[in-house]
Each structure stands twice: as C-alpha cells, then as structure tokens.
Amino acid sequence: MHPLDIDQLRTLVAIADSGSFTQAADLVHKTQSAVSMQMKRLEERIGREIFSRAGRGMRLTDDGERLLDYARRIVRLQTECLATFDEGDLAGRVRLGLPDDYADRYLPEILARFSRAHPRAEVTVACEPTDMLVGRIATGDLDLAIVTEARQRLNIETIRTEALLWVASSRHCVHTQTPLPLALGRPPCVWRTAALAALERAGRPSRILFVSWSSTAVGAAVQAGLAVSVLPESALRPGMRILSPAEGFPALPACRIGLVRHRAPEPMPLADALAAQIRQCLDNLGLAAE
C-alpha cells in the first residue's frame, strides 16, 4: 500500500474550503493545472472518483466527502506535530477572538498551556459575539477565533460539540411561569434562534425579559431566578439546574464550537501553534458537571 500524499490532501482541503480549483491554487501556491493533476493522482491512488461535475463547477462525490474528513484530520495532525517540535523558537504576537461564553470556560486552560509552551509569545484576546468575530477574521483584524458554528458559515472547523440545554435557577420556580420569561443573547445569536424556534414548535408562550451579548449578564438573570436561558453543557454554573422535556422544555440542537482562521498569504506559525493548542485543550476539557 502506497501512503497518501499529504500535499495532495492539503490541496483537497483547500478546494473544499475555497469552493473552487482556481481559488485553491492561490491558497496552496500552485497553478490550477497542478492542482487538477494532484486531484487526478489522488483519485488514481484511492481508486475512486472524488469530484463530479455540477453545472459549470465541480462538487465532491460521496467518496470525496469521506476522503475529505480523513484529509482534514491528517493535515491537522501534521500541523500539530510540527508545531510541537518547532514551538521553542516561536515569538511575536497572535490575535485571538472568542465570545465571553467560551472565555470563562476555555481561556484559562488555553492561555496557561500556550504560555508554558511559548513564553516569548504575546496573545491579544478580544471577547465579542460570533458574528463580529467572523467579520474581524475576514478583514484580518484577528488571526483566529473560537466561535459558535452555524452551518451557513463557511470555513469553520468544528472542534467540539456539546449539548445545548435549558437552564434555570435551582432555588426558584421561574420555569413554571406563563408566559415563560427568557434571558437570551442578542440577534442573530444561534442559541437564541434555536430556543425561540423550539418553544414555538412546542406551543409554549414566552417573553424575552433580558437581552445581552454578555453571558455573565444572562447567567446572572438565571441565577437570580428571574428567567430561563439556554447554555452549552460546559457553561453550567453552581446554582443552575437543567430543565428536561418532561417539564415542558423541548430538545435543542447540539452546540457546535468551531475554529476559524484568517487566510493570510504568508505562513503564520504562531497562529498554527495556538490553533493546535486550542484543539487539544477543547478536546481534553471535561464538562462542568463532571
């Protein structure tokens, strides 16, 4: 068995992320004909068609989608491996963004590990809602960001999936009120949209009592017994209780936490190293209830 060519796999990922052979060629610094030849050789190597024609463009076949999943993991592992052995000489500044929901839970461990591995590196952190972070990544104001993933957003790598839960104060009965008082994020918060849609489907009346971009403010309203909210499992705090379907709270979609990177023309080894550390931290972190 001949091993897979990781350069070909990296090109496959670039095609999937950019949406075209032409844009992928720019990302991997090759000509379009070289990219096409790489994909032809990759198809020959696995003995399956990776792409099929869709109108004027190309789309991944089912086999191509399966291969893409492996390609992402292989490329990511290689990047993490190289970053581990090259990390001693890294210095400079890297700009990270994340919502404060995730900063409370994930940032202490991420910064502690990254600082130990890269004592000469400087990390600038911005805490903002996902939509604002995605916009700053696009303009190059941030190097990478931890965000709440939505399927309509492109080029976001899922790095953690958690249950999204209805929560209330464990010392109050606010969840029995009609209409149900809610504390939610501002539009277009993905969790807010999911919560309101689930209540509407269930036919349960509700009213939005508190609105904030700050998870601290939303959590305070919940812990004070003033409102019900939705949080990912790892964000549960002492004094909160989970509300179940048996209590009239419908199931919610999973919370997908993603990593998005600015596509800079030059290599960014410090951002690569921080991205690898984020993946490792979020993969190893337990849940708040554990």
Side-chain angles (χ1 to χ4, degrees), residues 73 103 110 125 127 148 204 208 231 236 244 246 258 261 281 286-287:
R73 285 184 277 171
I110 291 170
V125 178
C127 289
T148 300
R204 180 156 189 180
I208 299 176
L231 290 174
L236 294 178
S244 68
R261 296 279 305 272
C281 285
L287 297 174

Side-chain angles (χ1 to χ4, degrees), residues 178-195:
T178 302
L180 181 71
L182 298 173
L184 300 171
R186 292 187 180 182
C189 173
V190 175
W191 303 343
R192 173 191 174 117
T193 302

Side-chain angles (χ1 to χ4, degrees), residues 233-251:
E233 193 167 3
S234 66
L236 294 178
R237 302 172 186 171
M240 291 182 179
R241 60 171 293 223
I242 298 170
L243 301 170
S244 68
E247 296 170 283
F249 290 87

Side-chain angles (χ1 to χ4, degrees), residues 12 53 62 94 96 100 156 181 200 233 275 287:
L12 174 63
R53 186 163 297 280
D62 290 342
V94 60
L96 169 67
D100 65 346
I156 296 181
E200 184 177 356
E233 193 167 3
L287 297 174

Side-chain angles (χ1 to χ4, degrees), residues 90-96 114 118 120-126 136 140-144 266-272 274:
L90 290 179
R93 182 169 71 104
V94 60
R95 301 164 300 173
L96 169 67
F114 189 72
H118 308 284
R120 295 195 298 141
E122 173 190 342
V123 182
T124 301
V125 178
R136 293 186 65 180
D141 288 339
L142 293 173
D143 300 312
L144 65 166
E266 68 281 349
M268 301 178 66
L270 198 56
D272 291 339
L274 180 55

